[in-house]
Amino acid sequence: MGKRVGEMKFAYFLFFLMLFTGVFSTSVLAEGDHLVANFHSQKLSSVKKVELPRALPRFKYDSGLSFPYPDAVRGVYMTAHTAGGYKNYLDYHSGVSTNLYSSGKNFAGIMNLMDTTDLNAVVIDIKDDWGNLTYMPQSDSPLASIGKPYIKNPREMLELFEKKQVYPIARIVVFKDTVWAKQRPDLSFTENGAVWKNGRNESFVNPFLKEVWDHNVQIAIDAAKLGFKEVQFDYVRFPEGFEKRDQTLTYSMGQYKDIELDNIQKRVQAVTDFVAYAKEQLKPYDVDVSVDIFGYTATLPEAPGIGQNFTKISEHVDVISSMIYPSHWTSYFGISKPDLEPYRLVTEYTKVENAKLMKLENRPVSRPWIQDFTASYLGRGNYLNYGKAEVEAQIKALNENGISEFLLWDAANTYTTGVDYTPLNK
């Protein structure tokens, strides 16, 4: 042992002697370069400058499925229950079953529209309006407690879409979440010790809290891993009319508590920050990010109660989808009964939206939600029976104002047949 220690001391002595006498010399290289030296007994014989990569390529997840972006997305909404009908569709076409419904109310009917028209995309609930995950994840998943078997095998469904080249979009309802609000009242809004509900018996979770953000981002990441090509966030907002409740409900403002903003601006900041955060977290998964937004939000500087600012949200997404159903407007744009004038309503809206998006350096794709349902609840004289003419009128108005993409909404998934979805191409 003593001999080895002595040898080591002698080696150290020689090293420092070489260092201070100049036999051993170094040179300073730029960041990213690497110094390689070959030593002889008395001097440094050579120095090689080796270039190292300046930045490693960013990790990108590959789902194994391919969905080229269409010439323009022209899609329809599909509930998870409707989407679950893919299994019946596959069984029929493989000869396992002889039972196939062909109406537009079911999966087969929608696939027929994809096959025979210019429609090419579907928006499917992955987290629904109540907060359920619409398929069963692995039992050890942190999302297992909210899973429902509405879509038996989402990967199998997506493989069918790949074969038919139907562009798949995962709809995730974010802050309207009755299921999780019940499980975690601390992440919700409470009143007199109980989770607050709106007039439709729905509860919301709190947009101020990052734990809520991460819960929804995890669902989005899982959707991307399954193979969805786009994640669409809906209900990215506080409850309607929150400006009348913000002082009476009990809730945490989290990291926004001490920010020097009024409550309106705090809500706008929280909603905008969530969108920016989700977009950043999803970058490695090669999916587009879209957000649904109230149509009237584009006509205001911002919606004070719900925290939506059209311009700020648009700065952080690939696609912005305003819900511009004629039935949902009051007498905006000087149209006293908007549901009776779908072409005029959509035309006037697009003028406002285009003016706002034109100011953005990196403007997102505009892909509005339009109406393919009849709003009989408006009462006699205030609504039309929506069909081919009314749907085409909305699409024509969009196309004439430079908007080629759209999504059709009907909660019952019954879509009008015989529609020309590309009217300006003829």
Side-chain angles (χ1 to χ4, degrees):
M1 176 65 74
K3 180 179 180 182
R4 182 177 300 174
V5 171
E7 290 173 346
M8 291 175 64
K9 287 181 178 179
F10 182 71
Y12 286 141
F13 169 77
L14 287 178
F15 174 81
F16 285 107
L17 179 64
M18 292 166 64
L19 178 65
F20 287 108
T21 59
V23 175
F24 174 20
S25 63
T26 64
S27 60
V28 179
L29 302 180
E31 182 180 354
D33 296 337
H34 183 58
L35 185 66
V36 178
N38 295 321
F39 292 98
H40 286 249
S41 60
Q42 294 184 352
K43 67 178 181 178
L44 177 68
S45 66
S46 66
V47 175
K48 295 181 181 179
K49 184 178 178 182
V50 179
E51 292 288 338
L52 295 179
R54 294 289 177 180
L56 294 174
R58 183 165 183 152
F59 161 77
K60 266 196 175 179
Y61 185 87
D62 182 4
S63 72
L65 299 179
S66 176
F67 295 99
Y69 198 91
D71 63 305
V73 168
R74 296 177 291 273
V76 303
Y77 165 65
M78 205 188 274
T79 67
H81 292 286
T82 296
Y86 85 89
K87 188 65 174 173
N88 176 268
Y89 181 89
L90 285 176
D91 288 346
Y92 177 84
H93 285 281
S94 64
V96 174
S97 170
T98 58
N99 181 30
L100 182 69
Y101 300 101
S102 59
S103 76
K105 291 183 179 180
N106 57 75
F107 187 90
I110 291 175
M111 286 301 99
N112 184 58
L113 288 174
M114 298 290 152
D115 289 338
T116 60
T117 73
D118 288 321
L119 292 176
N120 54 28
V122 288
V123 179
I124 296 175
D125 285 338
I126 289 301
K127 180 183 175 218
D128 68 17
D129 287 61
W130 295 100
N132 298 302
L133 191 69
T134 60
Y135 62 94
M136 295 301 297
Q138 296 292 326
S139 59
D140 60 349
S141 167
L143 305 173
S145 67
I146 62 170
K148 297 289 183 183
Y150 303 148
I151 303 173
K152 296 294 184 184
N153 186 337
R155 177 70 180 199
E156 186 178 43
M157 177 188 69
L158 288 164
E159 289 171 354
L160 171 63
F161 290 151
E162 180 187 42
K163 182 179 179 180
K164 299 177 76 66
Q165 282 303 287
V166 173
Y167 186 77
I169 303 170
R171 177 177 179 252
I172 296 174
V173 176
V174 182
F175 298 122
K176 187 174 78 166
D177 192 332
T178 305
V179 169
W180 212 35
K182 286 181 178 178
Q183 291 183 10
R184 295 288 306 273
D186 58 309
L187 301 179
S188 183
F189 306 98
T190 61
E191 187 174 40
N192 300 321
V195 172
W196 173 82
K197 300 176 182 178
N198 65 15
R200 294 181 293 276
N201 210 34
E202 301 162 334
S203 297
F204 280 65
V205 287
N206 188 347
F208 284 126
L209 302 181
K210 189 171 179 294
E211 186 174 353
V212 173
W213 298 5
D214 286 332
H215 176 72
N216 286 280
V217 168
Q218 183 58 60
I219 294 171
I221 289 173
D222 280 15
K225 288 181 175 180
L226 284 171
F228 281 94
K229 197 59 181 173
E230 181 174 317
V231 172
Q232 181 191 91
F233 293 114
D234 199 359
Y235 285 84
V236 185
R237 60 177 179 81
F238 286 77
E240 290 177 75
F242 195 77
E243 69 276 17
K244 301 174 183 176
R245 302 184 180 92
D246 66 340
Q247 299 297 321
T248 59
L249 296 178
T250 300
Y251 59 95
S252 170
M253 281 193 173
Q255 62 186 331
Y256 296 90
K257 179 181 179 181
D258 298 322
I259 293 177
E260 294 184 3
L261 296 171
D262 62 29
N263 282 356
I264 290 174
Q265 291 304 314
K266 285 181 180 179
R267 290 193 289 272
V268 169
Q269 191 67 50
V271 167
T272 304
D273 286 350
F274 164 74
V275 174
Y277 177 76
K279 182 74 163 64
E280 183 65 25
Q281 295 301 305
L282 286 165
K283 278 184 178 179
Y285 298 93
D286 195 26
V287 290
D288 283 346
V289 173
S290 58
V291 166
D292 296 338
I293 195 166
F294 277 144
Y296 78 83
T297 300
T299 70
L300 303 170
E302 55 205 13
I306 63 175
Q308 286 186 342
N309 181 302
F310 179 87
T311 300
K312 290 181 178 180
I313 290 175
S314 294
E315 290 173 337
H316 299 291
V317 295
D318 301 295
V319 179
I320 191 75
S321 290
S322 286
M323 297 173 283
I324 60 172
Y325 321 118
S327 61
H328 282 40
W329 295 83
T330 56
S331 55
Y332 268 75
F333 313 118
I335 307 172
S336 60
K337 296 182 178 181
D339 197 63
L340 304 184
E341 300 188 60
Y343 175 81
R344 185 182 169 199
L345 183 283
V346 172
T347 297
E348 294 304 317
Y349 169 81
T350 55
K351 292 176 184 177
V352 175
E353 183 187 277
N354 282 337
K356 284 204 169 185
L357 291 180
M358 284 288 288
K359 297 176 182 178
L360 298 182
E361 183 177 350
N362 297 305
R363 61 181 291 175
V365 170
S366 173
R367 187 195 299 154
W369 282 101
I370 59 175
Q371 181 172 332
D372 193 3
F373 60 87
T374 295
S376 55
Y377 53 82
L378 294 174
R380 182 177 297 178
N382 298 309
Y383 74 93
L384 292 176
N385 288 309
Y386 269 56
K388 173 179 165 64
E390 291 71 28
V391 173
E392 288 181 354
Q394 296 171 84
I395 297 170
K396 184 172 184 287
L398 290 174
N399 290 174
E400 289 177 346
N401 287 277
I403 299 174
S404 58
E405 302 204 2
F406 60 84
L407 299 170
L408 296 171
W409 179 272
D410 176 36
N413 298 173
T414 308
Y415 296 101
T416 303
T417 58
V419 172
D420 181 359
Y421 295 108
T422 55
L424 297 192
N425 288 355
K426 304 296 186 288

